[in-house]
Amino acid sequence: MAKLVVDEDLSSIAILGTRLGLSEDEIRSILKQLVNEGVLKGRLTPDGQRFFREEPKVSSRPAVSSPEEEPAFMRFSSKPGKYAAVVGFIIVVVGYVTLTLGQGDMGAETWGIILMLLGLFTLIVGCYSIGRRKTPS
């Protein structure tokens, strides 16, 4: 049992019991006996389901770094859409100001309406670009 705990780093009483073919109570009593004899250094958890060693063994395996690659849906940049929407809103405001200041002048009113429609189109394209972001599936 000490070999399983030390060499294979098993701490679960249920797994130790399954491997050795003993009940959990028998495993607990054997572990307590090994601790009292000084073969193992550690303690049982208060619920009695795990045995933790005081001197954990540092793994001899090399550390494998997992690539921290973000999911594809997180790489979507919404900045161009935001900028387009803001520019479109500014064009709508400029067109509205031109429309209101040019009252009575047919040319100014026409340019104001054209600017408002152009700004509205740009705003819609920007909002569409922001909303194109795919959700995770």
Side-chain angles (χ1 to χ4, degrees):
M1 169 147 13
K3 183 178 189 246
L4 288 174
V5 172
V6 174
D7 293 339
E8 295 187 24
D9 290 329
L10 288 178
S11 64
S12 172
I13 302 298
I15 293 175
L16 286 169
T18 303
R19 290 253 180 118
L20 297 173
L22 300 171
S23 71
E24 291 183 10
D25 291 331
E26 291 173 324
I27 296 293
R28 284 187 202 98
S29 65
I30 293 172
L31 284 172
K32 288 177 186 175
Q33 181 182 0
L34 290 173
V35 168
N36 290 338
E37 292 174 0
V39 176
L40 288 176
K41 291 182 181 178
R43 60 180 173 75
L44 280 169
T45 57
D47 64 355
Q49 296 299 314
R50 293 214 175 260
F51 178 79
F52 290 112
R53 293 184 300 144
E54 289 180 7
E55 305 166 348
K57 179 179 79 172
V58 178
S59 176
S60 60
R61 294 185 217 151
V64 178
S65 63
S66 62
E68 294 292 328
E69 188 174 321
E70 59 187 14
F73 73 92
M74 293 294 288
R75 286 186 290 241
F76 179 79
S77 176
S78 62
K79 284 185 180 181
K82 289 178 185 177
Y83 293 144
V86 168
V87 168
F89 183 73
I90 290 171
I91 293 173
V92 168
V93 170
V94 169
Y96 180 75
V97 168
T98 304
L99 182 64
T100 56
L101 291 179
Q103 288 180 351
D105 182 9
M106 195 59 118
E109 287 181 357
T110 304
W111 278 107
I113 291 173
I114 290 172
L115 282 175
M116 284 179 61
L117 291 175
L118 181 67
L120 187 61
F121 177 74
T122 309
L123 179 70
I124 289 171
V125 167
C127 289
Y128 174 75
S129 176
I130 293 170
R132 252 188 27 207
R133 177 184 219 167
K134 292 187 172 91
T135 57
S137 55

